[in-house]
Amino acid sequence: MELRWKEAAIPKRFARLIDLAGNLWWTWQPDAQRLFERLDPVLWEEVRHNPVALLRRIERARLNAAAQSPGYLELYDRVLAEFDRALTGETWFERAFPAHTGIPIAYFSTEFGIHEAFPAYAGGLGVLAGDSLKEASDLGLPMVGVGLLYQHGYFNQRITEDGWQEALYEDLDLENLPLSLMTGPDGQPLQVEVAIAGSPVRARIWRLQIGRIPLYLLDTQLPENAPADRELSAQLYAGDPERRIAQEMILGIGGVRALRALGVHPGVWHLNEGHSAFSILERLREHIAEGLSFEEAAARVRETTVFTTHTPVPAGHDRFSFTLIERAFAGYWEQLRLSFQEFCELGRQDEPWGPTFNMTVLALRFSDHRNAVSELHGRVTRRMWAHLWPDRPAEQVPIRHITNGVHVGTWLARRMRALYQRYLGPDWMERVDDPALWERVLEIPDEELWTIRRHLKRKLVAFMRERARRRWQRNHVSPIQIVASGVLLDPYALTIGFARRFALYKRAYLLFRDPDRLRRLVNDPQRPVQIILAGKAHPADEPAKRMMQEIYRLIKDPAFGGRIAFLEDYDIEVARYLVQGVDVWLNTPRRPLEASGTSGQKAALNGVLNLSVLDGWWREGYNGANGWAIGEDRDYEDPNVQDAADAASLYELLENVVVPLYYDVEADGIPHRWLRMVKESIRSLAPFFNTRRMMKEYLHEMYFPALEAARRTAVAIPEPVRQGVRGHHLAEQPAGPRSAEHDTIAGGGEHGV
């Protein structure tokens, strides 16, 4: 590794660019991103904002030129000083809770959305997990992440000329990612082992550093594994139940064993959705091996487990047949001193077709700290799982809610950040959850805010045109596909964004329910409207793919004048441009199936107004003056009646409220009434719907009770209890750039490693 970097010939003056590239702290620091971009702007775009790949490919002449630039040198020194302060300075958590700083919080998630250069996420669940780790770093929480390293990531989306989604898979280039392979004293990779269907499956452990937070990722792509087992960590959300249960055994059981091998002994175990619930079984096994009874072990596990459920959609809760459980676990239940039938009862959920082992049921039964992700979702979740507490009415089911938020530093446009810096004060980023701070938004001059909003929309349109140009050069697609990519969009027309996972309950079709009415709306010569859509359907979701195809065919219709576009291959980069650049963020889920949603929160931070059904977070955020509510605050028995009512409300709002307000421009060329609503949106939404408020809420309501329980019953796991751990002493072998100095600064020592 060191030899390769010597060959890259990074000048000594810029040696710490390697440190910076090796820690994803730069992903939420605009000046750090500029540091890499200014070296070679064209190459920076070509490598998709991946500083590791940039530093490996950059010409020495570019680095020499930067070394002669006083402006670049000043930026370099300032960014590195901020980097060191972020990783070594005193944190909010250390100041506020010094007694809790030494007990790690383990955060398990099947996906983590950190940045587009590391595609280990499918959508909102992963992005929330990534935002949570970033905020944990900012606050100084002693957190450690656990997930899987997917060699193929999720999938790249291509839309054919007739609108059909194709899924393309590419291998991750591990050499160009800032990953460190954890190794033992002999220099060999540290491994854990999990028995699946009676056969051992081994996984190695990689580390990805997110500011102060280490994220450990397990990978089964090892020659000693059977070919099928090597593929267990190949693809996110494998559709085959046998592969899915094996993945979740690696994540849950293997994740616990990985932390033990790394010397990390968490006081809190936070399961982000039910995919990692098998970690509960492994912790039960450990306690029982210590000599505890099953009941005593269960009590220990419950009081230190935090479980967050994210969906009221039944298909979002993994469940397996008892036959598959019996085959996959092959006697594991005996280590819990249970019969197979008793083992199945731990996660039993009766379905119309018979009993299943449900991962959410397992997590709910073995966690004392449970939450939904919005107030309405909390109500729905308590009703949904009330049968697990048959002695209580649904409203007393012990599942609270903590509404999701977004990481401000990641999603805020650079110019909006500078604007807030001027008017909110130099310390505003440390106080984003303070409502009094955001009152100052009302003092921002309309002229400045409007100038930035127009700039961000021009950036979005330019981004879409450049993507269309590259697609034209690379794939020789048809001209109509290029038009559908947005090349005819007007950077000054009212622009509506709709971007999310394409599932039927998200109702992307609602806007197209009356095509003639929509044509009149978008083609108004005095007040044109344009719409940008983006999103992926799960490769196995045929109905969603057919819906996407029908919408795409409408988009290609010349009658719409090129004013509706579909931006293919939705990812974090595309999301940033959209939530920063559109004027209105549209959300049309079938209530109450949107647990929370966060894309509209990102948009609101950037001065974009929400137009949404009163579901998820928007039901809490809407105050009548900060955006618009589609339909009524009610649920429907008949989905067709609901669709008709919501579509009518949507068209009525667009035609008679939203469009007239946007084009109500005064003599100075500025829509002051529109901007009044924009400021109210920022003022009322920004201080609550952010991860700083969210993580503090988790601390007070979930983590601290679990930490106190852990302190009361703190018992180190003795060596004989550990299973499947091959080696206990650590070193690491970087796959991406990491120097010895970086390991001193950003190593896992504060987390018990």
Side-chain angles (χ1 to χ4, degrees):
M1 188 65 230
E2 292 180 0
L3 180 62
R4 285 200 296 271
W5 280 97
K6 287 178 182 176
E7 291 170 352
I10 303 295
K12 187 175 181 180
R13 179 68 172 87
F14 296 145
R16 296 202 61 210
L17 283 175
I18 299 171
D19 296 344
L20 193 60
N23 188 318
L24 293 184
W25 174 84
W26 63 265
T27 62
W28 68 95
Q29 305 296 331
D31 284 346
Q33 295 163 29
R34 287 178 57 223
L35 198 61
F36 294 114
E37 181 183 13
R38 284 178 58 176
L39 289 173
D40 190 332
V42 174
L43 181 58
W44 179 245
E45 293 299 321
E46 187 178 326
V47 299
R48 299 205 62 206
H49 313 143
N50 182 341
V52 179
L54 177 88
L55 294 179
R56 285 228 167 93
R57 292 176 54 183
I58 195 166
E59 296 178 358
R60 178 61 186 256
R62 293 271 185 179
L63 296 167
N64 291 340
Q68 302 304 312
S69 167
Y72 187 87
L73 293 174
E74 186 276 330
L75 178 63
Y76 174 86
D77 291 336
R78 176 160 50 83
V79 168
L80 268 297
E82 292 172 1
F83 180 52
D84 289 342
R85 281 194 298 272
L87 298 186
T88 62
E90 187 182 30
T91 68
W92 171 87
F93 186 77
E94 289 170 335
R95 292 192 301 270
F97 307 102
H100 293 85
T101 56
I103 307 177
I105 300 165
Y107 187 97
F108 280 67
S109 183
T110 195
E111 52 175 300
F112 287 90
I114 310 295
H115 188 262
E116 62 266 21
F118 184 64
Y121 58 93
L125 178 71
V127 172
L128 176 77
D131 279 9
S132 296
L133 295 192
K134 293 172 184 176
E135 193 64 62
S137 177
D138 289 342
L139 291 172
L141 271 62
M143 186 170 277
V144 52
V146 180
L148 298 178
L149 179 64
Y150 303 101
Q151 292 92 355
H152 302 320
Y154 190 38
F155 72 90
N156 294 328
Q157 180 193 56
R158 293 293 178 269
I159 305 298
T160 65
E161 187 172 356
D162 71 345
W164 191 249
Q165 173 185 282
E166 294 181 341
L168 307 176
Y169 294 91
E170 298 178 8
D171 288 343
L172 287 181
D173 182 2
L174 299 186
E175 290 296 310
N176 280 321
L177 290 173
L179 291 161
S180 298
L181 182 61
M182 309 311 292
T183 62
D186 57 358
Q188 296 303 306
L190 190 68
Q191 296 181 10
V192 296
E193 185 175 286
V194 179
I196 301 175
S199 298
V201 178
R202 296 177 183 175
R204 55 189 171 179
I205 308 166
W206 300 86
R207 187 177 81 182
L208 188 69
Q209 199 69 29
I210 318 295
R212 291 172 175 259
I213 309 301
L215 169 58
Y216 293 109
L217 302 168
L218 280 69
D219 160 32
T220 62
Q221 193 74 253
L222 298 169
E224 54 264 46
N225 284 335
D229 294 334
R230 294 175 203 161
E231 295 300 306
L232 291 179
S233 61
Q235 182 181 332
L236 181 59
Y237 296 132
D240 174 20
E242 292 201 10
R243 291 185 62 190
R244 179 70 73 89
I245 195 172
Q247 277 188 331
E248 296 185 355
M249 291 175 74
I250 294 293
L251 173 61
I253 298 173
V256 174
R257 293 177 179 178
L259 292 180
R260 301 306 188 200
L262 293 163
V264 181
H265 301 297
V268 180
W269 302 76
H270 187 167
L271 311 185
N272 188 43
E273 198 52 275
H275 309 293
S276 56
F278 288 143
S279 62
I280 289 167
L281 303 179
E282 177 64 6
R283 292 169 56 217
L284 288 170
R285 186 200 63 77
E286 290 181 335
H287 287 308
I288 290 169
E290 293 172 18
L292 274 63
S293 68
F294 181 86
E295 292 73 18
E296 291 169 331
R300 289 277 185 90
V301 169
R302 286 190 186 101
E303 63 188 6
T304 55
T305 300
V306 173
F307 173 56
T308 301
T309 178
H310 287 268
T311 178
V313 180
H317 301 272
D318 285 343
R319 52 202 166 186
F320 305 105
S321 70
F322 284 1
T323 301
L324 182 52
I325 289 288
E326 183 176 24
R327 183 165 60 250
F329 279 88
Y332 185 95
W333 51 87
E334 295 172 358
Q335 299 178 64
L336 304 184
R337 301 175 190 164
L338 299 175
S339 67
F340 174 65
Q341 189 59 41
E342 289 170 330
F343 184 78
C344 289
E345 291 296 320
L346 302 181
R348 179 173 179 143
Q349 173 79 357
D350 290 324
E351 303 290 352
W353 58 88
T356 62
F357 191 102
N358 187 296
M359 300 293 280
T360 300
V361 170
L362 176 65
L364 288 170
R365 283 182 170 154
F366 287 89
S367 57
D368 279 348
H369 317 284
R370 316 169 191 91
N371 73 286
V373 290
S374 73
E375 188 274 333
L376 180 58
H377 181 227
R379 270 197 271 156
V380 172
T381 300
R382 286 187 287 275
R383 291 197 303 267
M384 185 175 185
W385 301 107
H387 62 280
L388 298 180
W389 289 269
D391 58 333
R392 303 188 186 202
E395 60 272 16
Q396 294 180 18
V397 166
I399 302 174
R400 67 182 70 199
H401 79 274
I402 296 178
T403 303
N404 285 344
V406 298
H407 186 252
V408 174
T410 295
W411 297 104
L412 189 62
R414 185 184 299 172
R415 289 208 180 183
M416 289 297 291
R417 184 190 288 232
L419 183 71
Y420 293 158
Q421 186 83 7
R422 287 199 298 277
Y423 289 95
L424 305 188
D427 65 339
W428 77 273
M429 284 288 282
E430 302 301 316
R431 300 173 53 205
V432 295
D433 56 338
D434 178 3
L437 170 80
W438 292 96
E439 294 294 329
R440 301 177 192 170
V441 166
L442 303 178
E443 301 169 8
I444 297 175
D446 285 357
E447 295 79 4
E448 290 191 48
L449 181 57
W450 184 238
T451 296
I452 292 173
R453 291 297 315 140
R454 285 163 64 91
H455 164 77
L456 292 174
K457 190 156 57 175
R458 287 194 299 269
K459 278 187 64 177
L460 168 61
V461 171
F463 169 73
M464 295 180 66
R465 289 174 177 171
E466 186 56 34
R467 274 173 61 104
R469 187 194 322 279
R470 290 199 301 267
R471 189 179 179 203
W472 175 257
Q473 291 174 325
R474 185 173 60 247
N475 295 335
H476 306 290
V477 292
S478 71
I480 193 64
Q481 285 180 277
I482 296 302
V483 171
S485 298
V487 294
L488 299 183
L489 293 185
D490 178 354
Y492 300 107
L494 171 62
T495 303
I496 299 171
F498 179 98
R500 54 198 25 88
R501 181 167 57 88
F502 261 67
L504 292 184
Y505 79 88
K506 301 283 190 179
R507 298 194 299 176
Y509 59 80
L510 199 67
L511 188 61
F512 297 86
R513 188 177 173 94
D514 188 339
D516 292 334
R517 198 169 178 181
L518 183 60
R519 287 189 192 100
R520 292 194 297 271
L521 188 70
V522 301
N523 289 320
D524 185 325
Q526 301 301 318
R527 303 186 305 191
V529 176
Q530 53 198 20
I531 302 159
I532 304 171
L533 299 99
K536 295 178 178 180
H538 188 281
D541 191 347
E542 296 298 317
K545 289 194 288 186
R546 286 195 294 272
M547 175 185 67
M548 182 184 296
Q549 185 177 41
E550 290 302 314
I551 290 173
Y552 193 79
R553 288 172 175 172
L554 283 172
I555 290 172
K556 292 191 303 178
D557 186 341
F560 284 108
R563 293 195 181 276
I564 307 180
F566 188 94
L567 198 49
E568 78 175 5
D569 209 21
Y570 184 45
D571 67 356
I572 287 177
E573 179 187 25
V574 172
R576 277 200 309 271
Y577 276 97
L578 285 172
V579 300
Q580 294 171 8
V582 300
D583 300 300
V584 174
W585 195 256
L586 177 64
N587 191 25
T588 56
R590 174 168 286 119
R591 175 178 159 149
L593 299 181
E594 179 88 308
S596 174
T598 57
S599 57
Q601 300 171 2
K602 299 160 191 165
L605 274 174
N606 287 285
V608 176
L609 293 175
N610 277 273
L611 171 61
S612 176
V613 170
L614 288 169
D615 197 8
W617 78 276
W618 184 235
R619 187 175 177 276
E620 297 168 59
Y622 176 64
N623 68 8
N626 59 358
W628 302 277
I630 299 170
E632 300 176 4
D633 186 10
R634 55 166 290 196
D635 297 335
Y636 288 80
E637 293 292 332
D638 186 336
N640 294 316
V641 173
Q642 184 178 9
D643 283 0
D646 287 347
S649 174
L650 173 58
Y651 286 123
E652 178 75 16
L653 282 168
L654 287 173
E655 292 167 346
N656 298 321
V657 181
V658 179
V659 175
L661 184 66
Y662 181 84
Y663 286 104
D664 180 17
V665 177
E666 298 184 18
D668 57 3
I670 297 173
H672 291 283
R673 291 177 60 234
W674 178 275
L675 293 176
R676 192 177 310 138
M677 183 173 276
V678 167
K679 291 179 185 178
E680 173 60 18
S681 171
I682 298 170
R683 183 203 67 79
S684 61
L685 301 176
F688 186 80
F689 297 101
N690 62 72
T691 48
R692 180 147 298 203
R693 184 275 312 162
M694 182 190 81
M695 293 304 289
K696 287 181 179 179
E697 207 167 329
Y698 272 107
L699 271 172
H700 288 286
E701 297 192 13
M702 312 286 270
Y703 295 161
F704 282 158
L707 283 169
E708 286 304 315
R711 285 157 65 93
R712 287 195 307 269
T713 60
V715 178
I717 302 298
E719 291 293 329
V721 173
R722 298 183 180 183
Q723 281 194 2
V725 177
R726 310 177 71 81
H728 305 302
H729 301 286
L730 299 190
E732 62 179 49
Q733 181 62 46
R738 190 173 299 278
S739 68
E741 183 178 11
H742 177 274
D743 290 326
T744 300
I745 295 171
E750 69 273 24
H751 303 291
V753 179

